[in-house]
Amino acid sequence: NVLRGARGVAINGSVDHFTFVNNVVAESHYGAIGLGNSPYLTLVNNIIAFNADPLEGGSTGVYLGPGVTLVRMENNLYWSRVDGEITAEFASGRDSDFTRAEVAGGTWASYVGQPQRAVTEDPLFVSAWPDVDLHLQASSPAVGAGSAKGAPGDDAEGRPRDAQPDLGAYEQ
């Protein structure tokens, strides 16, 4: 899926397991992904970028409510808000906002017991506003950075993914 603008993905209510694999969520000024109390989350091979209004502080890229349990969260690219890429309301004993440096340096992965497989670099889309094209440039850090485990066989345009898929909705 490619979600651009609007409000991103917001789940509140009785969802047992939310699985989000090989998507692009970009340019949402209300947060890219927000899970209130969904108990189980799988978030793999996604690009979550440019989702905070830099002039107003904006929302975080990913918001995880107090009842969220991470099943698998790896091989994602975060590039939305340097001071709060991931907000985890279940975090105790520390600020709930995990900065870009904490995601890149392994603090987030260590805190939640997940593998340190996060990219925190500009995804290098083909073009930005106003002529947005969310395909990846050949030099993008998202190219070849995904996991084949659980990834769809084809990208959003029906092209086959290879053994080392790209992050996001489009295969390079």
Side-chain angles (χ1 to χ4, degrees):
N1 296 299
V2 178
L3 302 168
R4 182 178 157 252
R7 293 193 178 264
V9 176
I11 304 289
N12 274 317
S14 59
V15 175
D16 291 333
H17 191 143
F18 182 72
T19 300
F20 205 66
V21 179
N22 281 100
N23 300 281
V24 175
V25 184
E27 297 182 336
S28 171
H29 294 283
Y30 299 100
I33 299 172
L35 298 176
N37 290 309
S38 299
Y40 300 101
L41 170 65
T42 298
L43 194 69
V44 179
N45 291 354
N46 299 288
I47 297 175
I48 302 159
F50 303 107
N51 290 295
D53 186 335
L55 299 177
E56 298 180 21
S59 284
T60 187
V62 177
Y63 169 82
L64 305 174
V68 173
T69 299
L70 300 178
V71 174
R72 183 173 172 222
M73 191 168 181
E74 60 185 281
N75 299 84
N76 297 297
L77 184 148
Y78 304 95
W79 193 255
S80 290
R81 187 169 169 183
V82 70
D83 62 337
E85 289 288 354
I86 300 170
T87 297
E89 292 296 334
F90 56 77
S92 61
R94 60 153 290 134
D95 186 333
S96 62
D97 287 326
F98 287 81
T99 67
R100 185 174 295 156
E102 289 174 321
V103 173
T107 300
W108 165 251
S110 177
Y111 187 85
V112 295
Q114 294 286 317
Q116 174 52 26
R117 293 189 196 121
V119 178
T120 55
E121 298 177 50
D122 185 327
L124 300 178
F125 294 130
V126 169
S127 62
W129 183 261
D131 301 315
V132 177
D133 182 342
L134 299 178
H135 289 82
L136 301 171
Q137 295 179 31
S139 59
S140 169
V143 172
S147 168
K149 181 182 174 188
D154 296 329
D155 75 0
E157 296 177 325
R159 289 188 306 259
R161 293 194 183 273
D162 57 30
Q164 190 67 49
D166 299 341
L167 302 181
Y170 303 115
E171 194 72 8
Q172 174 66 33

